Amino acid sequence: MEKILVLCDDVWHPAEVIEMGMDSLAGEDYQFDFVKTAKDILTPDMLKEYPLIICCKSNNVTSGNPAPWFENTVTEVMGGEFREYVEQGGSFMAVHSGNAFHGEKDGVKEYVEFVGNRFLGHPLRCGVTMKKVKDHPIMDGVAEQFNLRDEHYQIEVLAEDADVFLKSVSETGGVQVAGYTREMGQGRLCVLTPGHTLSVWKNEDFKKIFLNAIAWCLESFPSSNSY
């Protein structure tokens, strides 16, 4: 069983949604360990205990504490440490609010450069059509297109090596990149922008994408002790 570290809980995205959404996905294959107060818990050594880190958290300490998670000279794991972890063989997924970083401040800028996108905003929650862009292992068994009701994230993709496999379309949000991968050093990174509501996490096509993304990330090494 692979242990996966999940970072969650911010002002606009309470941990309960992520915990309930992933509850049905745990089992014999994966164990999800949830961390909310990442600022005071994460260390570079702790990252090495996990083959994959999933970030569903924007730049707040917790849902009850809007202070920034990333603070220079205080936070031990910031964008640079995440990048080093991946380049050395770990893998990372940024899901929904894990991509809600504008990049104005130094600590956040490092993270934005690491995940490869900058958050622009989103319209009011609305119907969103997800569309397959290309054949990719993460899209195996997923419908060519399917519908969700979600926050339709608008992001600017900065990474030139982003391999886009999923786009999203809505009347109010236009056409947006909704999923891409990057290979960095010995490790892998995957970005998914859906995931605000529990109904999204219960959608069968989204669940397939999410589990396929985990499998794709974990293919970068044979076991959790290999980096």
Side-chain angles (χ1 to χ4, degrees), residues 102 118-123 152-155:
H102 298 281
R118 183 171 70 89
F119 181 64
L120 302 178
H122 64 78
H152 188 195
Y153 267 26
Q154 299 164 309
I155 62 172

Side-chain angles (χ1 to χ4, degrees), residues 44 47-53 80-92 114 187 227:
L47 300 187
K48 297 176 182 178
E49 298 175 11
Y50 295 89
L52 171 62
I53 297 167
E81 286 71 32
F82 283 132
R83 177 183 290 274
E84 183 176 356
Y85 159 80
V86 171
E87 290 178 343
Q88 291 179 355
S91 287
F92 191 94
F114 164 61
Y227 62 97

Side-chain angles (χ1 to χ4, degrees), residues 131-144 163-166 181 216:
K131 295 187 175 183
K132 177 181 177 180
V133 173
K134 58 179 291 186
D135 289 332
H136 191 288
I138 294 178
M139 296 303 293
D140 285 352
V142 179
E144 292 289 323
D163 186 9
V164 177
F165 59 83
L166 185 68
T181 57
W216 181 86

Side-chain angles (χ1 to χ4, degrees), residues 127-136 138-139 142-148 150-155 157 162-170 173-181 191-194 205-206 209:
V128 184
T129 299
M130 313 303 297
K131 295 187 175 183
K132 177 181 177 180
V133 173
K134 58 179 291 186
D135 289 332
H136 191 288
I138 294 178
M139 296 303 293
V142 179
E144 292 289 323
Q145 68 177 51
F146 60 96
N147 298 318
L148 301 171
D150 202 13
E151 286 183 342
H152 188 195
Y153 267 26
Q154 299 164 309
I155 62 172
V157 178
D163 186 9
V164 177
F165 59 83
L166 185 68
K167 288 193 175 181
S168 54
V169 183
S170 74
V175 180
Q176 304 295 330
V177 171
Y180 65 80
T181 57
V191 161
L192 295 172
T193 64
D205 283 297
F206 179 75
I209 289 174

Side-chain angles (χ1 to χ4, degrees), residues 6 12-13 38 62 66 84 90 95 101 107 129 132 172 182 187 205:
V6 181
W12 300 108
H13 306 88
T62 63
E84 183 176 356
V95 180
F101 291 77
T129 299
K132 177 181 177 180
T172 50
R182 303 178 68 190
D205 283 297

